[in-house]
Amino acid sequence: MEKNNKTANSSDFEVTAVPQSGRKSLWTLAFIFAGWGLNSSEIISGGTIAAPLGLTKGVVAIIIATAVNCALAVLLAVPGAKKGLGFALMTRHTYGNIGSKIPSVVISIVHFGWYGILTALLANVAIQVMPSLNFKIVAIVAGLAIAVVAAVGIKATAIIGYLAVPCVLIVGLIGVFKLTGSASTFMPGTGGSTIPMGISQGVGAFAVGSLLACDIARFSRTKGQAALGVCIGLFIGLGFVRVLGAMSVLTTGQPDIVLAFAALGMAGGAFLFLFLNIVSTTDNILYSTGLSLSNIFRWNRVYLTLIAGVLGTVVAVMGLDKFFGAWLNFLASIIPPMGGVVIADYYFVKRRDFCELEDIKCPFNVFALIAWACGIAAAMLNIWCPAIDGLIASILVYVILMYAVKKSRPEYYCRLTNTQAKISAQ
């Protein structure tokens, strides 16, 4: 048993629940979540939302989108902390032992895309500061270096958060003061968007981050600590960079924060800001990718993380970052409904008492996939706010289907016994 525990600890508990002895403090988690939210792509997201809406409507859309992202993250972080499970393992309860591989495959593919986009962005930032550099060489070196750090695990992720978050916030605040001081008025919105559309873009942009908050929250000592860590980290990190992106676009007309800061005489600060920002984000992304791949292949997380880093680096070298806008709309359609099914399963179907992993009897829950597909269809109909439409639809469809088959398919209802529930609650 001791040998198994050492193995689990060395691999960050990728295929098992995190024991209480492996849990972290609130502030460690808050820093990691802040680093998670300080996402350089969210600077672009904030600018994309605000450019057509203008300052007031843009900030309203950003605040609501960030609140939805935070709520979604909390709803998944709470069971993650209670059971010590990341999202990949949690989906076994909902989609089945075999069916859970489908969400893990989708998450992994999405992460390859995100990792490639952000690594390409990092390479472009380096070239703007030092034009003599070669894009592909910088992308390859950066992509592989971050992969090595992510392979180390949660300890390295925490250290990066401690280093990156204060520096990014300080440089960002200086930039905010300079941006507001350099512009007598904010530019009006260009039109062509609405607040619901802006909300959907924001929710979609960080939908994967919200779902995978439980990958970090599983290290929380209590459910309350997990919820508080998510709220502190995401509102400080995610909300801040989105507003910064909006202000950059509406004062300088420049969505590229490096060029906007450079115009204010902050070229060095801009590079430091984005470098630390991107490194902290890509490290988190690759860490969660390793967990998802572990659920698919049941191999060592370290090796899988390195392989994912190589694949993500290939995406970066291909220059796919130019498809950022289409990427946001794609994520808004498919990711929130995936999490909605898990939320419905935990809170409404199994009444907040997931059983232990080894007690799951269902290999493949087809109703979870149907609910997910219905959520995607609802998002694509664009009735009001695609991301929220899809989330609500997936929850409603799953609850209805599961209650309809409650008596005929008992293997879908793996819950704790009364004795186990009392022990789990202690």
Side-chain angles (χ1 to χ4, degrees), residues 45 62 81 84 111 161 168 172 183 214 237 293 334 369 387 412:
S45 172
I62 286 171
H111 271 169
V168 169
C214 49
L293 291 174
I334 70 164
L369 294 176
Y412 289 173

Side-chain angles (χ1 to χ4, degrees), residues 76 87 90-91 94-95 337-347 354:
L76 290 166
F87 186 75
M90 206 182 301
T91 57
T94 304
Y95 291 87
M338 180 198 297
V341 177
V342 178
I343 290 170
D345 192 45
Y346 179 74
Y347 289 97
F354 277 158

Side-chain angles (χ1 to χ4, degrees), residues 35-367:
W36 192 287
L38 287 171
N39 188 326
S40 51
S41 65
E42 294 300 331
I43 300 174
I44 304 173
S45 172
T48 302
I49 294 169
L53 294 175
L55 181 64
T56 302
K57 290 183 179 179
V59 170
V60 168
I62 286 171
I63 291 174
I64 295 174
T66 303
V68 173
N69 284 132
C70 191
L72 184 58
V74 168
L75 287 172
L76 290 166
V78 167
K82 179 179 179 180
K83 305 302 296 184
L85 301 176
F87 186 75
L89 292 183
M90 206 182 301
T91 57
R92 290 195 202 176
H93 290 280
T94 304
Y95 291 87
N97 282 319
I98 298 174
S100 68
K101 295 181 186 294
I102 297 176
S104 291
V105 168
V106 172
I107 288 292
S108 299
I109 293 173
V110 166
H111 271 169
F112 293 151
W114 264 132
Y115 191 74
I117 287 172
L118 293 175
T119 304
L121 180 59
L122 177 59
N124 283 323
V125 169
I127 289 172
Q128 288 179 20
V129 177
M130 293 173 281
S132 61
L133 294 175
N134 179 275
F135 169 81
K136 291 185 177 180
I137 293 176
V138 175
I140 291 171
V141 171
L144 297 181
I146 295 170
V148 171
V149 175
V152 173
I154 194 70
K155 291 182 180 179
T157 300
I159 291 172
I160 288 176
Y162 286 135
L163 295 174
V165 172
C167 293
V168 169
L169 289 176
I170 290 171
V171 175
L173 285 171
I174 294 172
V176 167
F177 287 123
K178 288 203 171 188
L179 284 171
T180 53
S182 66
S184 56
T185 59
F186 289 100
M187 297 178 184
T190 58
S193 183
T194 63
I195 289 179
M197 289 175 64
I199 294 170
S200 185
Q201 282 186 316
V203 174
F206 199 73
V208 179
S210 295
L211 261 62
L212 300 181
C214 49
D215 287 351
I216 305 301
R218 67 198 179 108
F219 288 96
S220 297
R221 290 170 182 161
T222 66
K223 295 179 291 185
Q225 186 186 82
L228 186 59
V230 167
C231 293
I232 292 173
L234 292 192
F235 269 104
I236 289 176
L238 182 61
F240 175 72
V241 293
R242 282 177 168 172
V243 171
L244 179 60
M247 293 182 66
S248 174
V249 166
L250 296 175
T251 54
T252 67
Q254 178 57 258
D256 189 324
I257 197 70
V258 174
L259 296 180
F261 276 22
L264 299 172
M266 294 180 58
F271 177 74
L272 177 64
F273 176 88
L274 270 184
F275 175 77
L276 292 173
N277 188 307
I278 294 171
V279 169
S280 64
T281 303
T282 48
D283 173 70
N284 283 317
I285 286 174
L286 209 56
Y287 176 73
S288 286
T289 307
L291 296 178
S292 293
L293 291 174
S294 295
N295 184 52
I296 299 169
F297 299 108
R298 311 294 168 88
W299 295 345
N300 185 285
R301 181 195 61 82
V302 174
Y303 300 134
L304 290 171
T305 301
L306 293 173
I307 293 171
V310 171
L311 294 175
T313 302
V314 171
V315 174
V317 172
M318 292 170 64
L320 297 182
D321 54 306
K322 63 178 69 74
F323 300 107
F324 182 77
W327 186 247
L328 293 187
N329 293 328
F330 171 73
L331 294 179
S333 297
I334 70 164
I335 300 301
M338 180 198 297
V341 177
V342 178
I343 290 170
D345 192 45
Y346 179 74
Y347 289 97
F348 301 114
V349 175
K350 293 170 184 170
R351 307 292 179 86
R352 293 174 293 179
D353 61 357
F354 277 158
C355 65
E356 302 303 325
L357 286 174
E358 58 269 20
D359 295 328
I360 298 174
K361 306 300 182 185
C362 175
F364 199 97
N365 186 350
V366 67
F367 300 109

Side-chain angles (χ1 to χ4, degrees), residues 369-381:
L369 294 176
I370 292 173
W372 181 13
C374 289
I376 294 173
M380 295 178 69
L381 288 174

